[in-house]
Amino acid sequence: MATASFRSGAVGRGGVKADTITNRTSSINSAPKSSFKSKSSAPPQNSGLRRNSTGSVATSTKERGGVSGRVRVAVRLRPRNAEEMVADTDFADCVELQPELKRLNLRRNNWDTDTYEFDEVLTEFASQKRVYEAVAKPVVENVLDGYNGTVMAYGQTGTGKTYTLGRLGEEDTADRGIMLYMESIQDLLDPANGNVSIVEDPKTGDISLPGATVMEIRDQKSFLDLLQLGEAHRIAANTILNTESSRSHAILMVHVKRSVKGRDSALSTEHGPSHLAKTFKQPVVRRSKLAVVDLAGSERISKSGSEAHTLEEAKSINLSLTALGKCINALAENSNHVPVRDSKLTRLLRDSFGGTARTSLVITIGPSPRHRGETASTIMFGKRAMKVENMLKTKEEFDYKGLSRRLDIQLDKLIAEHESQQKAFQDEIERIAQEAQKRISEAERNHDVLLESERMKYEKEYLDAIQKLEQQWETSQGKHEKVGVNDSNNTEKFNQEPNDLGVTEDIAEIKRLLQNETLLRKAAEEEISDLKNQIAQWQRSEAVRSTEILKLQKMLEDETRKKKRLEEQITILQNQLLQSNFEVDEARRNLDGGGTTELPSDLDSPLPLICQQLRDSEEEKASMEKLFEQVGLQKILSLLESEDADVRIHAVKVLANLAAEVTNQVKIVKAGGLTSLLAILRSSSDETIHRVAAGALANLAMNETNQELIMSQGGIRLLSVTATNAQDPQTLRMVAGAIANLCGNDKLQIKLRGEGGIRALVGMVKCKHPDVLAQVARGIANFAKCESRAYIQGTKSGKSLLIEDGAMPWIIQNASNEASHIRRHIELALCHIAQHEVNAKDMISGGALWELVRISRNCSREDIRTLAYHTLTSSKSFQAELKRLRVDYG
Ligand code: ADP
Ligand code: MG
């Protein structure tokens, strides 16, 4: 009975910590955790022949120099079990081990033994820990260093394969699994997922199972849970299929991703001014995977079919194990053909034998002489596997996400630093201003108080003086009156003397008072001038403070300028990052798609020329959009006018990149991006800028409103000039693509042709590059379609402008172009042009009639075939010509 049930799995494609893996792995082998010290040991060197492994590598990925590494083979002997103890008591074991010589002697008969040497010979007393250290530990350490690794067990059922590798998913390790039953793979983490297909990267040869569930390991417990789930599903599946694990292959696959820091940046030299980028160490991630393979019992090869299983099952089990044996034979003999594709098992394990992985094989045997045949064939399998040479390699990729994260953090730090500086300056200025204000108002107050008290003092003194004078005056008046009464008649002269004396005294007194007054006044004036001096002094110190404030303000301005510069640099860096992401994607896409873009089969759909499938994943798209938001469209547009040519190129690439997303197109046009693109196309003489700007225009030209804008801003003339000067076929492809999009607009037909659009398009066929020809053909088909609509609507009656502008000879020449997408466009164009009798004469003389006949008979697309037939049968001119030539048609 032969049933191939097959389990494999992949755990944690991203972010699995190496130590998590080590712990898990150690428990598979029941070895103490301490045995997994991660040290960076180089893979062991081995001399000898090796098989070629896969070749080319993606540009974003680096394979580091390979090291040859032979498949290591250990043999493990199971102790006699209870049954053997009884049944074989009278017989000697068929094998004898000499572990210190790494030798195994297989008894041929009572006299003869054959001796075999292995890399390790593990007796029935070998502990699990010892087995782990001999077989798995070197592989696990290599996996942690970034190499792929395989640990595999091969042997007859019941000899201890599963015992050696660990009972997956019980308290020990396994992973998420996949069940293969008769060459079909079942996802054990999602049992409904019943037929997972294997995908092979055409460039790198990497095998993956994209349909299988992938789960990230957070910690040891989550890993264990996952293993138990997989194991439960495996048991359930085995029950349902009425199989046992001995008839299934089980594969545990653990993916490890590890960041490696500190290598110098290559980004700086490739993507922009080095002074900006050199501060960044290039973050690198290494990816590797560990496969633990528990094969089906090897006796199935010979015995399958002899049991009561169906023929199909027998074939399947034979298929995968036999295929594995054949591959190992071919590799061991260095044969030219290794039949890797014969089974899913060998496809999945392609990297393990003759690939880049470090592989350890443990062959398990039992002691019983009754199974001598099986034991011998297991030993032969092991010996052959020892001859297989692998070429160990690591793979490194730039960690763009990590770089982006670090840039974000740096940006935040700079902004925070700047803000706190700015705040400190403002506080200081405010403090000084407040202090000054306080001192000024204090001085003013003091001054007022002093003035007021002086004024009051003088007023009082003045009033006192006046009062005194009045009193004196009154006293002297009274004396005069008395003298007059006593002797009023004749003693005037006599009496005058004392009177005169009094007045003189008064005057003297007044004079004295006046003098006093003058002195006081003088003192007051001095006081005032003193105060004025004080004020002047305050004003001077105030001026000093103002200069200080000015100085501080200047410093603040300097800081602001510095901040602006930093922000600009950050913008440029972000642009570079955006561009790098884009280039990586482009490179990856080129590699995936073999470098050419296939046209969509729908001929009417406009062709997005660049980076249409730009974002592979939602996550990357989100990060791109985030950068776009941070950098800001206006800034990108302003960078188009930068002094620095590199910055300009980057900016236009970023813009083109954004223009590939329909959602961004509206924003770009609204922000004036279309005008900027035309301007840079007009002003720049750099071919890269021409290529990228034309690509961006082509994308924007997918929309009708934009088509009109491009036309009204002289876009056609500009594109024609660009085409004339272009050297690079890709520039021509972009220009042709842009014009082709414009050709599909009914309203723009006359203007487009009037400004030389058709001549420019036809002129580009000089460059024979198929990408360019495809765009030209698409443009012609678009134009012809619009014309035929115009004929039908009655808005056009004259000859086709395509004929007028000399496109017909090229059309006919390419009507049977071997590239199917070019041919389809041309065929469609011919049918459209033939819609109106007015074109018939030119078409007949040019040879288009025969092409139409051919299309109506041979074209693989039924709709075009029918259109051609209908056109031929309904045109009088064509019918007449066919009749004249005696061609029986219709
Ligand atoms: P296989 O996976 O090759 O079919 P198992 O691992 O299931 O074999 O082993 C069969 C039986 O033998 C199990 O009961 C297992 O516990 C026992 N066994 C295998 N190898 C050893 C060993 N080295 N020491 C003790 N018991 C063993
Ligand atoms: Mg088993």
Side-chain angles (χ1 to χ4, degrees):
M1 294 290 283
T3 304
S5 89
F6 195 105
R7 227 189 72 141
S8 84
V11 178
R13 188 169 286 169
V16 176
K17 290 269 158 44
D19 54 348
T20 312
I21 301 302
T22 51
N23 289 344
R24 297 312 318 139
T25 317
S26 70
S27 67
I28 295 177
N29 299 279
S30 318
K33 285 170 192 173
S34 61
S35 66
F36 279 92
K37 270 180 231 117
S38 174
K39 59 175 187 198
S40 52
S41 56
Q45 296 274 343
N46 270 294
S47 57
L49 293 168
R50 61 164 292 274
R51 298 281 305 156
N52 270 341
S53 58
T54 49
S56 61
V57 185
T59 44
S60 61
T61 307
K62 266 191 198 157
E63 277 188 2
R64 301 202 302 166
V67 181
S68 121
R70 180 172 60 69
V71 170
R72 316 286 292 176
V73 181
V75 58
R76 186 181 198 187
L77 177 64
R78 171 176 56 65
R80 278 188 176 196
N81 58 26
E83 188 220 325
E84 284 162 346
M85 295 280 197
V86 177
D88 297 341
T89 62
D90 297 335
F91 301 94
D93 288 352
C94 72
V95 289
E96 180 203 359
L97 304 185
Q98 293 174 294
E100 53 302 323
L101 297 175
K102 301 192 191 273
R103 270 195 198 147
L104 175 151
N105 297 324
L106 177 67
R107 205 184 293 277
R108 214 189 289 166
N109 47 46
N110 279 342
W111 335 214
D112 260 339
T113 57
D114 293 319
T115 300
Y116 302 93
E117 277 184 21
F118 286 96
D119 293 310
E120 281 295 340
V121 169
L122 301 159
T123 67
E124 63 267 51
F125 308 113
S127 69
Q128 294 285 69
K129 180 180 177 204
R130 160 110 181 81
V131 174
Y132 167 70
E133 276 172 357
V135 177
K137 188 177 175 184
V139 177
V140 170
E141 282 177 350
N142 277 174
V143 169
L144 295 179
D145 285 338
Y147 297 87
N148 286 346
T150 312
V151 178
M152 181 188 267
Y154 180 95
Q156 191 186 355
T157 298
T159 50
K161 295 183 294 299
T162 306
Y163 181 85
T164 297
L165 295 180
R167 287 213 154 261
L168 309 182
E170 281 190 8
E171 86 271 22
D172 290 340
T173 328
D175 70 1
R176 60 168 243 148
I178 290 169
M179 190 86 168
L180 184 142
Y181 179 70
M182 294 199 294
E183 290 292 306
S184 76
I185 301 177
Q186 188 175 12
D187 186 341
L188 286 183
L189 287 186
D190 179 10
N193 193 1
N195 199 356
V196 179
S197 56
I198 301 180
V199 170
E200 181 176 337
D201 186 312
K203 288 276 162 188
T204 64
D206 283 350
I207 295 290
S208 58
L209 300 162
T213 318
V214 174
M215 295 208 180
E216 194 157 323
I217 303 170
R218 291 184 306 281
D219 49 27
Q220 195 164 328
K221 185 174 178 311
S222 72
F223 190 35
L224 250 184
D225 291 349
L226 219 51
L227 297 180
Q228 279 166 358
L229 179 69
E231 185 66 13
H233 286 148
R234 180 192 179 194
I235 292 164
N238 275 330
T239 311
I240 293 164
L241 299 173
N242 194 21
T243 66
E244 325 161 344
S245 64
S246 72
R247 298 188 195 116
S248 66
H249 307 295
I251 302 184
L252 159 68
M253 236 179 245
V254 184
H255 291 247
V256 180
K257 184 176 134 187
R258 193 173 180 185
S259 297
V260 192
K261 282 192 200 116
R263 295 214 291 131
D264 276 338
S265 172
L267 196 73
S268 57
T269 50
E270 278 171 27
H271 300 293
S274 57
H275 69 280
L276 293 176
K278 72 181 163 211
T279 48
F280 298 105
K281 287 262 181 194
Q282 180 184 317
V284 167
V285 285
R286 280 191 198 158
R287 291 179 196 279
S288 54
K289 65 185 173 208
L290 171 69
V292 180
V293 187
D294 187 358
L295 291 171
S298 58
E299 74 285 358
R300 301 285 158 196
I301 296 179
S302 48
K303 292 185 185 160
S304 59
S306 68
E307 298 173 30
H309 277 242
T310 67
L311 188 60
E312 284 309 305
E313 287 172 330
K315 272 188 204 156
S316 297
I317 190 71
N318 269 334
L319 188 67
S320 51
L321 262 187
T322 311
L324 180 64
K326 277 188 193 157
C327 286
I328 286 175
N329 284 350
L331 287 162
E333 285 158 19
N334 236 350
S335 137
N336 282 333
H337 176 65
V338 182
V340 170
R341 292 173 179 282
D342 283 4
S343 77
K344 291 197 179 181
L345 178 71
T346 46
R347 287 181 73 195
L348 275 173
L349 296 178
R350 174 189 195 136
D351 198 39
S352 307
F353 292 96
T356 66
R358 172 93 149 92
T359 297
S360 255
L361 172 69
V362 56
I363 56 170
T364 56
I365 53 174
S368 169
R370 281 176 295 145
H371 298 299
R372 196 196 159 281
E374 289 299 343
T375 305
S377 89
T378 300
I379 288 168
M380 291 324 292
F381 181 90
K383 284 307 287 181
R384 280 192 298 275
M386 274 175 87
K387 292 188 192 154
V388 177
E389 286 286 344
N390 288 359
M391 181 52 88
L392 275 47
K393 280 179 185 170
T394 55
K395 264 188 197 173
E396 288 185 351
E397 298 172 6
F398 299 150
D399 186 3
Y400 284 101
K401 275 179 207 152
L403 179 60
S404 164
R405 263 197 309 278
R406 272 166 51 190
L407 276 173
D408 275 350
I409 292 168
Q410 195 157 340
L411 178 62
D412 287 349
K413 221 172 89 187
L414 280 171
I415 290 171
E417 230 168 66
H418 176 74
E419 277 173 357
S420 80
Q421 268 179 16
Q422 206 169 16
K423 186 156 182 317
F425 277 122
Q426 268 162 2
D427 287 354
E428 182 64 12
I429 286 167
E430 208 165 300
R431 196 186 61 72
I432 291 170
Q434 269 173 7
E435 175 101 334
Q437 192 54 46
K438 212 171 92 193
R439 283 161 80 168
I440 289 168
S441 49
E442 204 175 310
E444 277 172 358
R445 232 181 6 258
N446 286 346
H447 182 231
D448 285 352
V449 169
L450 261 172
L451 266 180
E452 182 60 19
S453 73
E454 284 298 310
R455 197 180 58 76
M456 301 247 288
K457 194 172 135 202
Y458 293 130
E459 221 167 54
K460 187 160 179 299
E461 277 174 5
Y462 176 74
L463 286 175
D464 286 353
I466 296 288
Q467 215 174 3
K468 224 170 171 183
L469 277 174
E470 275 172 0
Q471 274 172 8
Q472 281 175 1
W473 176 253
E474 270 167 30
T475 331
S476 61
Q477 274 300 94
K479 275 184 192 164
H480 278 299
E481 274 166 22
K482 253 191 231 162
V483 172
V485 170
N486 288 344
D487 192 2
S488 60
N489 298 330
N490 52 4
T491 58
E492 202 171 303
K493 197 183 165 189
F494 175 79
N495 282 334
Q496 215 158 1
E497 274 180 9
N499 240 2
D500 280 351
L501 210 71
V503 168
T504 315
E505 263 173 33
D506 284 348
I507 287 171
E509 177 67 17
I510 289 168
K511 267 187 185 164
R512 206 176 46 77
L513 281 171
L514 264 175
Q515 224 162 18
N516 224 347
E517 190 84 357
T518 316
L519 281 174
L520 282 170
R521 195 196 189 99
K522 219 170 174 175
E525 274 169 4
E526 268 166 25
E527 190 92 10
I528 286 170
S529 88
D530 217 35
L531 283 168
K532 273 186 185 159
N533 275 344
Q534 272 184 40
I535 289 174
Q537 216 168 338
W538 279 322
Q539 277 169 346
R540 264 198 303 282
S541 61
E542 173 61 21
V544 170
R545 272 192 291 277
S546 299
T547 6
E548 237 170 81
I549 291 173
L550 275 177
K551 242 195 311 205
L552 284 170
Q553 270 170 347
K554 216 172 139 295
M555 273 163 80
L556 184 66
E557 275 165 20
D558 277 355
E559 283 301 314
T560 315
R561 262 198 300 281
K562 266 190 220 157
K563 180 195 172 193
K564 225 179 124 200
R565 257 206 312 280
L566 277 174
E567 280 172 353
E568 271 170 22
Q569 289 179 359
I570 288 163
T571 308
I572 291 167
L573 278 173
Q574 282 174 332
N575 269 329
Q576 285 173 16
L577 181 61
L578 208 60
Q579 182 55 30
S580 310
N581 275 336
F582 166 58
E583 277 167 9
V584 169
D585 286 342
E586 200 170 44
R588 195 180 300 150
R589 220 178 11 264
N590 277 345
L591 285 160
D592 290 348
T596 52
T597 319
E598 275 292 310
L599 273 160
S601 59
D602 178 3
L603 297 172
D604 293 339
S605 71
L607 177 69
L609 278 162
I610 52 171
C611 37
Q612 178 66 355
Q613 330 82 315
L614 185 66
R615 298 290 134 219
D616 289 346
S617 70
E618 282 305 308
E619 202 184 327
E620 278 174 54
K621 188 171 166 180
S623 99
M624 167 105 177
E625 244 142 47
K626 193 169 156 234
L627 279 169
F628 174 30
E629 266 168 34
Q630 283 178 1
V631 174
L633 194 50
Q634 283 304 344
K635 256 189 199 154
I636 296 171
L637 291 181
S638 71
L639 289 175
L640 285 178
E641 290 156 28
S642 163
E643 300 278 288
D644 186 336
D646 281 344
V647 174
R648 280 199 306 274
I649 292 180
H650 279 303
V652 75
K653 282 184 178 175
V654 170
L655 195 60
N657 199 358
L658 293 169
E661 301 270 351
V662 177
T663 47
N664 293 336
Q665 288 174 359
V666 182
K667 290 186 208 158
I668 292 170
V669 174
K670 215 164 136 195
L674 182 53
T675 313
S676 303
L677 277 169
L678 290 169
I680 197 168
L681 197 57
R682 193 172 286 127
S683 64
S684 172
S685 55
D686 182 289
E687 175 117 30
T688 307
I689 289 191
H690 283 183
R691 172 168 55 78
V692 181
L697 280 174
N699 276 335
L700 293 178
M702 286 157 62
N703 159 309
E704 210 172 300
T705 320
N706 294 348
Q707 288 166 354
E708 282 165 24
L709 277 173
I710 293 171
M711 290 297 289
S712 69
Q713 296 187 29
I716 274 293
R717 292 234 159 84
L718 203 51
L719 287 166
S720 305
V721 173
T722 310
T724 314
N725 297 333
Q727 305 286 331
D728 179 356
Q730 290 309 317
T731 310
L732 288 171
R733 173 179 165 228
M734 300 301 169
V735 172
I739 298 180
N741 283 346
L742 296 171
C743 280
N745 188 321
D746 294 281
K747 286 184 243 166
L748 301 175
Q749 296 265 292
I750 311 268
K751 190 165 158 65
L752 184 111
R753 188 262 179 153
E755 293 183 3
I758 294 175
R759 283 189 192 281
L761 200 60
V762 175
M764 276 184 265
V765 304
K766 275 207 296 282
C767 163
K768 302 243 180 323
H769 197 287
D771 288 351
V772 179
L773 298 188
Q775 295 306 321
V776 173
R778 188 169 67 84
I780 286 175
N782 276 347
F783 197 90
K785 186 172 69 186
C786 290
E787 275 195 333
S788 97
R789 265 203 292 264
Y791 284 134
I792 292 165
Q793 286 162 5
T795 49
K796 178 171 173 63
S797 56
K799 226 189 250 182
S800 164
L801 298 177
L802 291 166
I803 295 177
E804 299 275 18
D805 278 3
M808 197 42 98
W810 184 77
I811 295 178
I812 290 164
Q813 201 183 317
N814 283 275
S816 44
N817 191 307
E818 60 197 24
S820 66
H821 56 285
I822 299 180
R823 195 168 64 241
R824 291 285 164 273
H825 287 305
I826 302 280
E827 286 169 349
L828 212 54
L830 274 172
C831 291
H832 285 308
I833 298 170
Q835 290 306 306
H836 202 281
E837 287 287 313
V838 76
N839 295 327
K841 206 168 139 229
D842 288 275
M843 293 187 80
I844 290 168
S845 68
L849 178 59
W850 291 115
E851 294 302 336
L852 281 168
V853 170
R854 182 189 61 73
I855 295 166
S856 73
R857 284 180 178 154
N858 298 343
C859 181
S860 61
R861 259 183 63 170
E862 200 195 331
D863 51 346
I864 302 180
R865 213 165 54 227
T866 315
L867 182 61
Y869 178 80
H870 184 74
T871 307
L872 281 175
T873 48
S874 59
S875 158
K876 272 194 225 112
S877 313
F878 288 145
Q879 283 298 315
E881 177 68 4
L882 288 167
K883 206 164 165 191
R884 190 179 73 76
L885 297 168
R886 296 174 210 283
V887 176
D888 187 17
Y889 196 89

